[in-house]
Amino acid sequence: MSDRERAIQLIEALPENKIAYVIGYIQGLTTEKSEIEEVEPDEWDLRMIEEAEKVNDGHGILIEDLAAELGITI
């Protein structure tokens, strides 16, 4: 059995309510990068970027430090 035939067999076994997930995934795989529309940021996007830059200086935080700050043990 080919991979394509196996994929079709698996899709046919899926319940109807999960087919949309498969379609979305397959569409993502088949979309060429050139088909993806590049959109320039609008005023709202630029404001959000500006706000984020005020709050975040570009440095990250270790997950362990974040957990400790939140009182979570990992």
Side-chain angles (χ1 to χ4, degrees):
M1 176 182 302
S2 73
D3 288 340
R4 183 178 301 272
E5 290 167 329
R6 178 71 179 134
I8 291 169
Q9 183 182 51
L10 290 169
I11 290 169
E12 288 174 346
L14 282 174
E16 199 63 35
N17 65 337
K18 296 202 176 178
I19 295 294
Y21 297 113
V22 175
I23 291 170
Y25 185 73
I26 293 172
Q27 281 178 331
L29 291 174
T30 59
T31 301
E32 295 293 325
K33 186 168 175 62
S34 62
E35 294 176 29
I36 298 173
E37 180 183 351
E38 293 291 328
V39 178
E40 290 295 319
D42 61 13
E43 274 300 310
W44 183 85
D45 293 322
L46 296 172
R47 275 196 326 273
M48 293 297 104
I49 292 167
E50 189 176 308
E51 289 295 317
E53 288 173 345
K54 288 179 188 175
V55 175
N56 184 348
D57 64 1
H59 291 87
I61 181 171
L62 295 174
I63 189 71
E64 292 84 359
D65 294 342
L66 177 61
E69 186 178 313
L70 297 173
I72 301 170
T73 304
I74 55 173

